[in-house]
Amino acid sequence: MRTWHEIREFPLAIRLLLVNQLGVNTGFYLLIPYLATHLGEDLGMSAAVVGIVLGVRNLSQQGMFLVGGSAADRLGARGVIIAGCGLRAVGFALFALGDGLLVLLAASVLSGLAGALFNPAVRAYLAQEAGGRTAEAFALFNVFATTGALIGPLLGSALLLVDFRASALTAAAIFALLTVAQALVLPAREVPPATSGVLGDWREVVGNRAFVAFALGMVGMFTLENQLYLLLPQGARQATGWAGAAALVFLTGTLASLTLQMRLTRALRQRGSRGRWITLGLVLMALAFVPPMTVAGAGRPEGAAQAVLGLLPVLAGALLLSLGVMIAQPFVMELIPGFGRSTLTGTFFGVFYVVSGVAAAGGNALVGWAMDAGAERAAPWLPWACCLLFGLASAAGVDRLRRRQALPEPGSESAPGARTATSPQPSPASPPPCEKRSVQ
């Protein structure tokens, strides 16, 4: 009940964006997980062509985050959000109506570009509207996103009993309704005139050494979070010999998020620095891979009791991983706008998501290699150990930034110690910028 009370305390714009994220994830996950099967089995495409269609969608999204972030800064986040949802509706409708390769590639490009537009724009709008409650707003955002990610696959499975086109048209209809709702309800905000060119904005953000270091330090969070869909489900299947065990991994993470996210964020935001909690979250995410490592390679279980005993460490890992994400992610989102000018909030989010997208792709490739190498060399612990080291390295990187006071205060204009490429260095006698600090 307290969560619903907090939702009502936020302005209408944020409440709409929360519902928007619920709809975005519902529409996305009722279609995309089943797209490869539709292309390969229903349309008879080769694995190479399926890979091209899926790769084009991912590339058009990850590669255009920076454009979406800059558009939000210069044109206003509201218009970019509306355009992104409208493009996603068109792209998903094309998946339903077209069978030719060119149509499917166009659908992939449009749906990917849509995500590149509204993802940084939504987060920039949320950060600007939340005032002093940015962490709570992003925590609620995670709760609604997680709920949509749970509803989407269930609804998609039901719609597939009809056919794939029913799923695609339903997803398109959801995004069309979101587009109309945003156009009618989402308040417009005045956009400050740009004082530099787009390339100058990009150079300013990329030249912010503290921000770039922070974005690289968060590589572990996105890589390990993706293991909820790769390594942990495989571990559950191997531990039990039951394909359906993977669903229990998703369910564990979802239930944890729904019940604990807001309580954790409320409890931690007033105690200690944001950097400390982000570091703790990354450490928990790293340690999440220790329990499953203990049962890796145990072999096929004999009987239900042994299957349950094998599954428990994997579910414990899923719970620890989800707890780590819940602790770290709202504070990560809260800090990003503080690294620079408020008029570049969208660009900062865009760059951050470009880095995270590349990191997730590279991290998943590394974990996949470790899975294959572990199987070939009778070392089933290898991918789990790889994730453990990945998380601990990221935690150490963020903690180093915290100790050097290179992380911004929530609501501050720039990070202490952050410099753009052209910023002058203070003289030794000069007082350090941003004297106000979090409690360490």
Side-chain angles (χ1 to χ4, degrees), residues 112-168:
L113 177 59
L117 289 176
F118 64 67
N119 277 338
V122 164
R123 285 156 179 80
Y125 199 114
L126 200 68
Q128 291 162 356
E129 293 291 317
R133 304 182 63 201
T134 308
E136 289 97 324
F138 277 108
L140 283 170
F141 192 79
N142 287 349
V143 171
F144 277 76
T146 301
T147 304
L150 176 64
I151 295 172
L154 297 176
L155 181 58
S157 297
L159 290 169
L160 282 176
L161 297 176
V162 181
D163 61 15
F164 176 82
R165 285 176 173 80
S167 294

Side-chain angles (χ1 to χ4, degrees), residues 27 54 72 88 120 134 184 211 269 300 303 322 334 343 412 425:
L54 297 179
R88 180 62 64 84
T134 308
L184 293 176
F211 170 70
R269 70 180 297 271
R300 193 174 184 87
S322 298
E334 183 183 27
T343 53
S412 67
Q425 299 290 335

Side-chain angles (χ1 to χ4, degrees), residues 241-434:
W242 174 45
L248 298 178
V249 172
F250 305 138
L251 185 61
T252 298
T254 300
L255 292 178
S257 178
L258 294 178
T259 56
L260 298 176
Q261 176 70 81
M262 288 305 300
R263 296 177 185 178
L264 281 172
T265 303
R266 281 195 300 261
L268 298 179
R269 70 180 297 271
Q270 302 293 346
R271 298 176 174 88
S273 70
R274 304 305 193 250
R276 176 173 295 173
W277 299 129
I278 293 171
T279 301
L280 174 63
L282 288 169
V283 170
L284 285 179
M285 292 178 72
L287 295 179
F289 295 89
V290 174
M293 194 190 309
T294 63
V295 294
R300 193 174 184 87
E302 297 179 0
Q306 190 174 350
V308 170
L309 290 175
L311 180 62
L312 288 177
V314 181
L315 295 184
L319 179 60
L320 276 176
L321 183 60
S322 298
L323 286 173
V325 173
M326 284 186 277
I327 289 171
Q329 197 170 69
F331 298 125
V332 171
M333 297 293 106
E334 183 183 27
L335 289 191
I336 289 172
F339 279 100
R341 293 187 283 126
S342 60
T343 53
L344 288 182
T345 297
T347 305
F348 273 97
F349 275 110
V351 171
F352 186 80
Y353 276 98
V354 168
V355 173
S356 69
V358 173
N364 279 339
L366 180 61
V367 173
W369 171 84
M371 292 167 71
D372 292 338
E376 292 172 0
R377 301 172 187 177
W381 51 267
L382 185 60
W384 306 98
C386 179
C387 290
L388 172 64
L389 294 176
F390 220 135
L392 292 178
S394 281
V398 173
D399 191 56
R400 184 166 184 265
L401 291 174
R402 179 185 71 84
R403 292 179 182 278
R404 294 178 60 188
Q405 298 182 323
L407 300 178
E409 278 290 301
S412 67
E413 187 69 12
S414 61
R419 304 279 182 266
T420 62
T422 57
S423 297
Q425 299 290 335
S427 65
S430 301
C434 300

